[in-house]
Amino acid sequence: MGNVNLIAVLLGILGWGTTGYFAYLIYKKQTIKISLWKVIVILFIGVFSFSFDWRMSETTIKLAILPLGVWILFWLRGRTEQWQVYRHFAWLGFFANYIFLATTLVYIPLYHFVYPENQADVYISNIERASIINTYLTAQNLSLDTISLQKQLPKMMEKPIHSTEWFHESEEETDKKSERFPYQLVGSAPKFGSGLNVIVYVENDGKGLLISTPEKQHYFRSDESILKGGQ
């Protein structure tokens, strides 16, 4: 099973739980009762809206503007007596978008507090089965020093990525053995509940890690090599 984003799951449950609670209050006040499955369907349709989306801290924020789901339900049932019952749940579905907006705004600082992106041990937490593989045939035949890695992870500092400079160095370098990141760390796992998918490359001196996520890259340096036989 992959690494699940625990905070997103819990806040999602909170959002739907809050919506369900308000639906229960509406249901209790109504004299004409409808089936539970109809309430659920109406809520889901009511959530459908025209939204304005923007990115904040690698998270998509959705601001519901037009209640498309409510309009669809009105077009289908607006001329029936049932609409007077349905409309409360339909509008609740639309306003549930703002409940989810609130949970998203809570999610952003909470996630970065629990899983700081500038700490290497967030991306590499479980190393019991970790090892390295050569990504270049001409790389030295070295192995991972798990004891050193365990000791260095909490102390690693994030450094700027000089991608342009590194590219020019690789273009000018004729000795392929000095490829900057000739190893890949495999068998490790990010911190539990982070939901992260990472690829980790190890620098040729064993003191640098280039960590790639779907959103961005991070470069960390340690004081000592994590490779047996490294510099």
Side-chain angles (χ1 to χ4, degrees):
M1 182 177 180
N3 192 7
V4 176
N5 189 327
L6 187 60
I7 294 178
V9 170
L10 292 177
L11 288 176
I13 293 173
L14 176 62
W16 279 111
T18 302
T19 303
Y21 174 71
F22 285 124
Y24 171 73
L25 294 180
I26 294 172
Y27 187 83
K28 280 183 63 178
K29 293 180 179 179
Q30 290 184 328
T31 55
I32 301 176
K33 306 296 184 182
I34 61 175
S35 302
L36 178 60
W37 70 268
K38 288 184 179 180
V39 173
I40 295 173
V41 170
I42 294 168
L43 282 173
F44 273 105
I45 296 176
V47 170
F48 184 57
S49 65
F50 177 81
S51 302
F52 175 74
D53 299 352
W54 77 94
R55 296 281 291 178
M56 179 186 294
S57 299
E58 302 167 12
T59 302
T60 300
I61 308 293
K62 293 181 176 290
L63 179 63
I65 300 174
L66 300 177
L68 300 182
V70 177
W71 292 348
I72 291 171
L73 288 167
F74 179 76
W75 181 70
L76 293 174
R77 289 289 185 267
R79 295 180 177 84
T80 66
E81 295 181 359
Q82 293 174 320
W83 172 246
Q84 298 304 316
V85 179
Y86 291 169
R87 66 187 180 92
H88 297 290
F89 297 109
W91 278 109
L92 175 59
F94 173 70
F95 286 113
N97 286 290
Y98 293 93
I99 296 175
F100 301 138
L101 174 61
T103 60
T104 301
L105 294 177
V106 171
Y107 166 82
I108 294 172
L110 180 60
Y111 183 88
H112 289 290
F113 174 77
V114 178
Y115 305 105
E117 66 174 9
N118 62 346
Q119 294 184 9
D121 52 4
V122 169
Y123 307 94
I124 308 170
S125 179
N126 188 336
I127 61 170
E128 292 181 0
R129 301 180 180 178
S131 61
I132 61 166
I133 58 174
N134 294 355
T135 56
Y136 287 84
L137 295 176
T138 53
Q140 298 182 59
N141 188 23
L142 305 178
S143 60
L144 178 68
D145 187 340
T146 55
I147 296 176
S148 178
L149 177 59
Q150 187 73 52
K151 183 175 66 174
Q152 294 299 317
L153 273 174
K155 300 185 293 183
M156 284 187 173
M157 301 295 294
E158 186 168 15
K159 303 292 183 179
I161 296 177
H162 302 289
S163 54
T164 303
E165 179 183 331
W166 294 348
F167 174 76
H168 288 307
E169 286 179 0
S170 65
E171 287 289 304
E172 296 171 359
E173 184 60 61
T174 57
D175 182 6
K176 293 184 179 180
K177 290 185 179 181
S178 60
E179 168 67 33
R180 182 172 289 275
F181 297 98
Y183 310 102
Q184 181 178 340
L185 181 69
V186 296
S188 64
K191 195 171 183 179
F192 174 77
S194 65
L196 289 168
N197 294 308
V198 301
I199 300 176
V200 182
Y201 298 99
V202 183
E203 203 162 0
N204 52 17
D205 64 356
K207 298 179 182 180
L209 297 177
L210 182 64
I211 300 175
S212 296
T213 72
E215 290 78 25
K216 62 190 301 185
Q217 289 185 318
H218 301 270
Y219 176 55
F220 293 92
R221 289 286 297 180
S222 63
D223 295 328
E224 300 176 10
S225 174
I226 63 169
L227 299 177
K228 292 180 181 179
Q231 298 176 7

